[in-house]
C-alpha cells in the first residue's frame, strides 16, 4: 500500500520552463551572429592595404582582444541559461517520523570578533528547532578560534533551547529563530491566540532577553587583551557534548567542536574544519546526511530538512550527492547598491546549473550525503587499506562500514572513550599521510572548497539539485559596507581562479566525465573573474586613451558597421533587463548590478586574480579572511539610504578612481575638441561618437564615485589622499598610454 502511494504521489517534481528556454536560446543565436559580424569587422582591418590603414595597429588589437575576452565570457554564461529547471517538493508525503534518516547539522564559526555571538547562537538554536525528529537530529558547532567564550555561549544557547524548542513545537510556529520571532512585526502565533499562549510567549521573550544579555556579557568579559586572539592559531582540541545526560525535554543533541591548531601545521581553512566535523560526528552520531550552515545563516523555515529529504527518500535518485538551497539575507535594503543578494547566481544561474546535472556547492545551506564525501565500504573491506586512506583510528574506520551505529549515549564509559577518540580525530596531525582533502572529504586545493568539492563530485558521476521554495529556507546577514563587500568578493574570486589556472581547470579536467554544458557552467564560474577584469580594464582604458588622442576605434555613425556594435549593446542590455524583471526585481536592481560589476572588475576581481598568480609563483601564501558580520549603525544607515560608504583601503579606491579620472579626462577633452578646437565638429562627433558614448556610459553608471570625490562632504566620502594618488596614476597612464598607443 505504501509503495503504491509513493509511486502515485511523488515526493518532488521537476518543471522545465520551455518559454524561458526558447527565449534564451533564440537570444543566444542572434547575439552570436552579431558577435561573429563584429569579429569579421575587426579582422578585416588587418587585411587592408598598408596605405589605407590610418589607425595605429596596437590599440585596435587591444580593443579587439578585450572584445574577444568579453565575448568568450558571454559564451560561457549561455551554458547556465541553456536548460533552466524549477523544482517542487511535497514534504507532507514523507514517511512517518520514525522512518526518516538522521541528519547532522554542521555550523562553522571562525572569529568571535567578526561573528557576533548572538547571531551565531540564534543559528544554533534555529537548527535545534527544526521540524524533524529530535532523536535523528544532531547539531555540531565548529569553533575554529578555540574560544572559551564560544563554548560558554553554546551552553547558554542549549539552556535556552530547552524551553524554546518545545514552545515552537507546541504552538506550531513557522519561525525557528527566536531573534526573528521576537523582533518581527508579522503575526506568527500558529493556531493559538488565547491568554495561555500570550503568557507563555511573554515568558519566552523574557528568557530570550536574558540570553542575549548573558551572551554579550560573556563575550565582552572574554576579550580584555589580545591573548585570546593570539590563541586562535594555537590551541588544543576541545569536544564537548552539551546535553549528553538524559534530559526530560527531548531536543536534538548539541555538540561543541574545536579542532587542534598549531602554527606549524596547515589548518586548511573552512574545509579543514568541515573534515574534522565529518570525523568527530562519525564517532557520535554518524548520520547519513549533513546539513551545512554558515554561523549567521539561521533556519527560517523549520521544514527545510524535510524538504531536502524529499529527494533522498526517493529511490529514483540514488546518485544524488547534495541538495543546494539559495543563500538569502534578511538585511537587504530596498536599494541594494552592493548587490548583496547575488541575484544573477541564485535566481538565474543555479536554475540553469540544475538543468544540466546540478549546481555547485555554494558554501552554505546545502544538505549532502556523507557517502558522497567519504565513499561506501562493506564489512569485507581491508582495514589496512582504509587506514592508509583515512588515518590510523580503528574506531573511525568502523564508522565507514555500512549500518554502523555509534554507541555514544548508551553508557558513561562508551561516552568517555568516544570523546577521547574524537579528540584524536580532531588533532592537527591526524591527516598526515592520508588522502583527507585530496580524495575524500571537503577538498583543500582551493580556498573555495565548495566549488572544488562540487566539481569533483560531479566529475565522479554524482548529481545535485537546486531547491528554492516560495518561503525562504535560510536567512543570513550580508555585508553593509563597501570595504567588507570588496574583501568578500576578492576571496570569492581567488578560489575559483585558482582552479581555473591549474591542472584541475574544468576545460581539461572535466571532459569525458561531465556533460559539455555542465562543463561550461563550471568553466564560467572559474574564469568569470579573470575574463571580466581583463576585458573591463581594456574597455575602461583603451578607447579612452584613443579618444584623448583623437584615434577612432569604432565605425562612424553613418557606417553600416556601426549597427553591429549598437545591436550587441542593445541585445545585452535588453536581455539583462528581461532577467531582472522576470525574477521579480525593478530597474534599479539592473542599474546597481551593472555598476557593481564594473567596480568589482577593476578591484576585487583584479586583486583576486593577482593573489592567485602570486601564489602560483610562490610569492604569496593563500589566505582566508572571514567576512565581517559585525554591523555598524552608521554604515547600515548609509546602505539603507543607497549611499556608498567609501571608507575602504586605498588599494581598492585607487584603481576605481583612476579609471573614472581617465574617463573624465577623455570625455571632457573630446567635448572641448569637438566644440572649440576642431573646425569640423560634426564630422568629429560622427567619428568619435562610439568612444564618447562608451566613456559617458561608464561615467554616468559610476556617478556615485564622482559624487564621492567631488560633491560629498561626509565621513564616508572618498578621502582626498586616495583622490590625489589616483590623479597621479591617471596622469601617468594618460602620458605613457599616449606614447605607446599612438
Amino acid at each position: 500500500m505504501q509503495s503504491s502511494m509513493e509511486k502515485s504521489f511523488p515526493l518532488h517534481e521537476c518543471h522545465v520552463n520551455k518559454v524561458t528556454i526558447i527565449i534564451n536560446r533564440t537570444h543566444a543565436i542572434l547575439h552570436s551572429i552579431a558577435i561573429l559580424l563584429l569579429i569579421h569587422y575587426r579582422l578585416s582591418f588587418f587585411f587592408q592595404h598598408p596605405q589605407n590603414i590610418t589607425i595605429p595597429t596596437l590599440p585596435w588589437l587591444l580593443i579587439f582582444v578585450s572584445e574577444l575576452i568579453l565575448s568568450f565570457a558571454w559564451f560561457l554564461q549561455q551554458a547556465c541559461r541553456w536548460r533552466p529547471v524549477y523544482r517542487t517538493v511535497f514534504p507532507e508525503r514523507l514517511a512517518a517520523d520514525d522512518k526518516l534518516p538522521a541528519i547532522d547539522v554542521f555550523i562553522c564559526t571562525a572569529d568571535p570578533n567578526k561573528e557576533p555571538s548572538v547571531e551565531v547562537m540564534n543559528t544554533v538554536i534555529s537548527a535545534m528547532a527544526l521540524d524533524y525528529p529530535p532523536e535523528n537530529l544532531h547539531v555540531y558547532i565548529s569553533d575554529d578560534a578555540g574560544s572559551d567564550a564560544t563554548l560558554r555561549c553554546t551552553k547558554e544557547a542549549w539552556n535556552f533551547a530547552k524551553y524554546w524548542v518545545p514552545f515552537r513545537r507546541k504552538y506550531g510556529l513557522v519561525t525557528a529563530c527566536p531573534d526573528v520571532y521576537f523582533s518581527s512585526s508579522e503575526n506568527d502565533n500558529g493556531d493559538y491566540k488565547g491568554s495561555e499562549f500570550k503568557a507563555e510567549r511573554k515568558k519566552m521573550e523574557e528568557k530570550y532577553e536574558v540570553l542575549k544579555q548573558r551572551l554579550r556579557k560573556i563575550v565582552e568579559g572574554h576579550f580584555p587583551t589580545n591573548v585570546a586572539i593570539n590563541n586562535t592559531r594555537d590551541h588544543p582540541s576541545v569536544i564537548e557534548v552539551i546535553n549528553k545526560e538524559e534530559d526530560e525535554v527531548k531536543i536534538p543533541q548539541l555538540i561543541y567542536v574545536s579542532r587542534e591548531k598549531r602554527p606549524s601545521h596547515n589548518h586548511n581553512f573552512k574545509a579543514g574544519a568541515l573534515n574534522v566535523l565529518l570525523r568527530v560526528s562519525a564517532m557520535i552520531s554518524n548520520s547519513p546526511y549533513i546539513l551545512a550552515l554558515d554561523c549567521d545563516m539561521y533556519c527560517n523555515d523549520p521544514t527545510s530538512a524535510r524538504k531536502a529529504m524529499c529527494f533522498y527518500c526517493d529511490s529514483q535518485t540514488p546518485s544524488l550527492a547534495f541538495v543546494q538551497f539559495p543563500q538569502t539575507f534578511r538585511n537587504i535594503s530596498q536599494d541594494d547598491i552592493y548587490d548583496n543578494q547575488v541575484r544573477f547566481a541564485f535566481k538565474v544561474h543555479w536554475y540553469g546549473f540544475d538543468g544540466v546535472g546540478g549546481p555547485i556547492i555554494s558554501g552554505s545551506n546545502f544538505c549532502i550525503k556523507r557517502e558522497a564525501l567519504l565513499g561506501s565500504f562493506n564489512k569485507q573491506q581491508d582495514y589496512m587499506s582504509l587506514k592508509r586512506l583515512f588515518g590510523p583510528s580503528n574506531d573511525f574506520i568502523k564508522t565507514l562500514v555500512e549500518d554502523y551505529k555509534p554507541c555514544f549515549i548508551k553508557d558513561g564509559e562508551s561516552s568517555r572513550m568516544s570523546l577521547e577518540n574524537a579528540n584524536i580525530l580532531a588533532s592537527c596531525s591526524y591527516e598526515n599521510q592520508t588522502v583527507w582533502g585530496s580524495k575524500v572529504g571537503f577538498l583543500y586545493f582551493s580556498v573555495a572548497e565548495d566549488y572544488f568539492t562540487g566539481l569533483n563530485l560531479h566529475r565522479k558521476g554524482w548529481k545535485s539539485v537546486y531547491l528554492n521554495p516560495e518561503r525562504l529556507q535560510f536567512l543570513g546577514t550580508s555585508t553593509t559596507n563597501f570595504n567588507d563587500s570588496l574583501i568578500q568578493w576578492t576571496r570569492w574570486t581567488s578560489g575559483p581562479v585558482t582552479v581555473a589556472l591549474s591542472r584541475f581547470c574544468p576545460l581539461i579536467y572535466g571532459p569525458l566525465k561531465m556533460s559539455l554544458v555542465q562543463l561550461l557552467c563550471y568553466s564560467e564560474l572559474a574564469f568569470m573573474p579573470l575574463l571580466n577584469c581583463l576585458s573591463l580594464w581594456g574597455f575602461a582604458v583603451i578607447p579612452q586613451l584613443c579618444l584623448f588622442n583623437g584615434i577612432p576605434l569604432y565605425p562612424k555613425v553613418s557606417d553600416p558597421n556601426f549597427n553591429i556594435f549598437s545591436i550587441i549593446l542593445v541585445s545585452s542590455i535588453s536581455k539583462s533587463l528581461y532577467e531582472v524583471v522576470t525574477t521579480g526585481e525593478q530597474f534599479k536592481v539592473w542599474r546597481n548590478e551593472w555598476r557593481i560589476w564594473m567596480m568589482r572588475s577593476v578591484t576585487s576581481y583584479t586583486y583576486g586574480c593577482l593573489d592567485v598568480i602570486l601564489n602560483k609563483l610562490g610569492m604569496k601564501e593563500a589566505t582566508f579572511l572571514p567576512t565581517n558580520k559585525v554591523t555598524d549603525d552608521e554604515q547600515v544607515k548609509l546602505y539603507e539610504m543607497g549611499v556608498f560608504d567609501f571608507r575602504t583601503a586605498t588599494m581598492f579606491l585607487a584603481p576605481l578612481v583612476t579609471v573614472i579620472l581617465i574617463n573624465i579626462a577623455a570625455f571632457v577633452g573630446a567635448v572641448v575638441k569637438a566644440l572649440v578646437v576642431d573646425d569640423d565638429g560634426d564630422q568629429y562627433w560622427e567619428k568619435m561618437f562610439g568612444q564618447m558614448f562608451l566613456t559617458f556610459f561608464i561615467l554616468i553608471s559610476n556617478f556615485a564615485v564622482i559624487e564621492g570625490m567631488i560633491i560629498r562632504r561626509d565621513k564616508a566620502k572618498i578621502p582626498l589622499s586616495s583622490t590625489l594618488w589616483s590623479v597621479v596614476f591617471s596622469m601617468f597612464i594618460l602620458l605613457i598610454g599616449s606614447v605607446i598607443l599612438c
Side-chain angles (χ1 to χ4, degrees):
M1 177 70 73
Q2 179 68 26
S3 60
S4 62
M5 286 182 66
E6 287 177 357
K7 291 180 181 177
S8 302
F9 302 101
L11 293 173
H12 59 91
E13 290 180 352
C14 180
H15 313 279
V16 180
N17 192 327
K18 295 182 179 179
V19 175
T20 301
I21 289 176
I22 292 172
I23 292 174
N24 287 348
R25 295 184 182 183
T26 302
H27 173 264
I29 293 171
L30 296 177
H31 197 84
S32 297
I33 294 172
I35 289 176
L36 290 174
L37 292 173
L38 182 149
I39 293 173
H40 175 268
Y41 169 75
R42 290 295 186 192
L43 286 175
S44 63
F45 171 85
F46 300 103
F47 295 97
Q48 296 181 75
H49 193 279
Q51 294 181 348
N52 296 329
I53 298 178
T54 58
I55 301 172
T57 302
L58 182 58
W60 189 276
L61 178 62
L62 290 176
I63 197 62
F64 182 33
V65 170
S66 299
E67 290 165 349
L68 287 177
I69 292 173
L70 194 60
S71 298
F72 181 61
W74 172 86
F75 169 73
L76 292 177
Q77 284 182 354
Q78 302 321 297
C80 298
R81 295 172 170 85
W82 190 249
R83 189 180 178 270
V85 299
Y86 309 83
R87 298 185 184 273
T88 307
V89 293
F90 307 98
E92 67 277 5
R93 299 176 184 173
L94 285 169
D97 284 2
D98 59 348
K99 300 290 181 63
L100 291 176
I103 298 177
D104 291 340
V105 182
F106 290 176
I107 300 170
C108 294
T109 181
D111 189 338
N113 291 313
K114 293 185 177 181
E115 297 161 341
S117 60
V118 173
E119 284 191 15
V120 176
M121 294 308 137
N122 265 277
T123 300
V124 171
I125 295 167
S126 69
M128 296 179 69
L130 284 172
D131 183 14
Y132 208 77
E135 64 275 9
N136 284 347
L137 187 64
H138 315 85
V139 179
Y140 294 81
I141 177 169
S142 169
D143 175 20
D144 232 21
S147 169
D148 178 63
T150 303
L151 174 57
R152 292 168 60 194
C153 287
T154 303
K155 292 179 179 179
E156 293 291 343
W158 154 249
N159 289 327
F160 175 78
K162 288 192 296 185
Y163 302 98
W164 169 254
V165 173
F167 174 75
R168 194 208 68 76
R169 285 187 200 148
K170 179 179 179 180
Y171 294 106
L173 306 183
V174 297
T175 302
C177 178
D179 190 68
V180 176
Y181 177 73
F182 292 119
S183 61
S184 175
S185 59
E186 296 183 9
N187 185 17
D188 180 13
N189 297 337
D191 298 325
Y192 299 85
K193 298 181 181 178
S195 58
E196 180 188 353
F197 167 76
K198 291 179 180 178
E200 285 200 45
R201 187 188 188 280
K202 185 176 181 181
K203 289 181 180 178
M204 191 58 59
E205 188 170 6
E206 290 173 354
K207 290 180 184 296
Y208 180 63
E209 290 300 322
V210 172
L211 171 68
K212 289 196 295 184
Q213 292 176 10
R214 287 179 175 176
L215 294 179
R216 288 168 180 152
K217 186 176 180 180
I218 289 172
V219 175
E220 289 171 1
H222 191 71
F223 294 108
T225 66
N226 289 327
V227 175
I229 299 174
N230 294 332
N231 288 340
T232 61
R233 303 178 185 89
D234 188 4
H235 57 79
S237 63
V238 178
I239 300 172
E240 186 167 336
V241 180
I242 308 300
N243 55 326
K244 60 185 176 183
E245 300 87 4
E246 290 294 331
D247 294 285
E248 295 180 5
V249 181
K250 205 167 188 180
I251 64 174
Q253 267 192 323
L254 177 60
I255 302 97
Y256 170 89
V257 179
S258 177
R259 58 175 171 153
E260 181 186 17
K261 292 174 75 174
R262 302 301 179 193
S264 58
H265 286 76
N266 189 352
H267 55 81
N268 295 304
F269 312 117
K270 183 179 177 181
L274 286 170
N275 283 339
V276 168
L277 286 180
L278 274 175
R279 296 193 293 271
V280 170
S281 64
M283 303 301 301
I284 298 173
S285 52
N286 201 34
S287 300
Y289 300 102
I290 295 161
L291 175 62
L293 303 174
D294 280 345
C295 64
D296 68 316
M297 196 66 70
Y298 69 83
C299 304
N300 187 56
D301 184 353
T303 65
S304 55
R306 290 181 180 268
K307 286 183 168 68
M309 286 303 111
C310 287
F311 295 99
Y312 290 118
C313 293
D314 184 355
S315 59
Q316 303 299 315
T317 57
S319 62
L320 180 65
F322 60 92
V323 179
Q324 178 66 59
F325 294 94
Q327 289 193 32
T328 46
F329 306 96
R330 59 170 169 163
N331 62 335
I332 300 295
S333 71
Q334 291 289 325
D335 191 7
D336 184 20
I337 54 176
Y338 304 129
D339 186 30
N340 288 330
Q341 64 173 328
V342 200
R343 182 201 61 86
F344 74 91
F346 297 115
K347 292 188 178 181
V348 179
H349 284 201
W350 267 225
Y351 289 114
F353 249 117
D354 196 7
V356 296
I360 67 167
I361 297 175
S362 305
S364 179
N365 308 358
F366 62 91
C367 187
I368 191 166
K369 185 183 291 187
R370 188 181 289 265
E371 178 188 338
L373 294 168
L374 301 180
S376 178
F377 307 94
N378 55 45
K379 295 181 180 179
Q380 286 72 42
Q381 192 78 31
D382 178 28
Y383 269 40
M384 291 307 297
S385 63
L386 289 179
K387 284 186 176 183
R388 285 192 290 271
L389 297 175
F390 293 96
S393 172
N394 288 322
D395 294 282
F396 178 75
I397 298 300
K398 292 178 184 177
T399 68
L400 298 173
V401 178
E402 295 176 7
D403 301 325
Y404 175 84
K405 300 295 181 184
C407 55
F408 181 76
I409 48 179
K410 287 185 179 179
D411 58 75
E413 181 63 20
S414 296
S415 300
R416 186 186 62 79
M417 292 179 63
S418 294
L419 279 180
E420 289 179 359
N421 292 327
N423 273 283
I424 293 173
L425 293 168
S427 66
C428 59
S429 60
Y430 182 81
E431 295 182 356
N432 294 347
Q433 310 301 316
T434 70
V435 295
W436 281 100
S438 59
K439 292 184 180 180
V440 298
F442 292 90
L443 305 186
Y444 297 155
F445 179 75
S446 165
V447 292
E449 81 292 329
D450 46 3
Y451 174 89
F452 191 52
T453 302
L455 172 63
N456 275 271
L457 288 175
H458 283 125
R459 188 174 178 271
K460 291 177 181 178
W462 289 96
K463 305 294 182 184
S464 62
V465 296
Y466 180 58
L467 183 61
N468 188 9
E470 184 176 350
R471 178 173 172 80
L472 301 178
Q473 300 299 287
F474 304 95
L475 280 172
T477 304
S478 69
T479 56
T480 55
N481 63 79
F482 199 38
N483 181 65
D484 290 341
S485 178
L486 293 179
I487 291 174
Q488 184 180 60
W489 276 93
T490 301
R491 188 182 77 238
W492 287 353
T493 293
S494 62
V497 174
T498 298
V499 179
L501 302 181
S502 72
R503 61 189 178 91
F504 299 112
C505 171
L507 293 176
I508 58 177
Y509 186 58
L512 305 179
K513 300 288 186 177
M514 301 162 64
S515 70
L516 176 62
V517 184
Q518 187 180 28
L519 186 67
L520 293 176
C521 287
Y522 266 102
S523 299
E524 190 269 333
L525 291 178
F527 285 100
M528 180 268 292
L530 181 62
L531 297 177
N532 282 342
C533 80
L534 290 176
S535 60
L536 202 69
W537 273 108
F539 282 113
V541 175
I542 304 303
Q544 290 72 15
L545 289 175
C546 292
L547 178 63
F548 189 74
N549 291 279
I551 302 171
L553 291 180
Y554 297 99
K556 294 180 179 180
V557 177
S558 58
D559 189 333
N561 289 312
F562 185 82
N563 295 327
I564 299 173
F565 294 88
S566 301
I567 290 171
I568 291 175
L569 177 65
V570 172
S571 171
S572 299
I573 292 177
S574 300
K575 187 61 168 64
S576 59
L577 267 173
Y578 164 78
E579 289 181 347
V580 167
V581 172
T582 53
T583 52
E585 304 294 347
Q586 300 176 0
F587 172 80
K588 61 184 177 183
V589 172
W590 173 85
R591 177 201 64 196
N592 290 338
E593 287 183 354
W594 272 78
R595 175 175 58 202
I596 202 67
W597 170 70
M598 288 187 261
M599 289 181 172
R600 287 174 185 157
S601 294
V602 298
T603 54
S604 298
Y605 295 166
T606 301
Y607 285 118
C609 293
L610 285 174
D611 187 70
V612 172
I613 293 171
L614 292 175
N615 179 257
K616 295 288 183 183
L617 296 174
M619 300 171 64
K620 187 177 186 297
E621 290 187 1
T623 56
F624 183 94
L625 294 175
T627 303
N628 184 22
K629 303 296 182 181
V630 178
T631 56
D632 179 277
D633 291 340
E634 184 181 356
Q635 292 175 338
V636 171
K637 184 178 180 180
L638 288 172
Y639 171 63
E640 291 176 346
M641 293 169 56
V643 178
F644 273 83
D645 183 354
F646 289 111
R647 285 172 291 186
T648 185
T650 302
M651 64 173 283
F652 285 127
L653 291 177
L656 182 60
V657 177
T658 298
V659 165
I660 296 302
L661 290 175
I662 291 173
N663 278 261
I664 291 175
F667 186 76
V668 171
V671 171
V672 170
K673 183 177 287 188
L675 296 178
V676 180
V677 179
D678 202 305
D679 295 333
D680 194 352
D682 292 339
Q683 186 176 357
Y684 183 87
W685 281 103
E686 184 183 21
K687 182 175 64 172
M688 307 302 294
F689 178 80
Q691 283 153 265
M692 293 183 71
F693 177 83
L694 174 62
T695 304
F696 179 75
F697 181 76
I698 291 174
L699 292 175
I700 202 67
S701 298
N702 293 276
F703 181 74
V705 180
I706 300 174
E707 187 180 40
M709 281 193 296
I710 302 172
I711 302 174
R712 287 170 55 182
R713 292 292 179 266
D714 56 284
K715 292 190 293 184
K717 69 174 183 176
I718 295 176
L720 180 61
S721 59
S722 297
T723 303
L724 293 177
W725 275 112
S726 300
V727 169
V728 174
F729 294 147
S730 58
M731 291 178 63
F732 177 79
I733 292 173
L734 286 170
L735 177 63
I736 299 300
S738 299
V739 173
I740 295 175
L741 298 180
C742 306

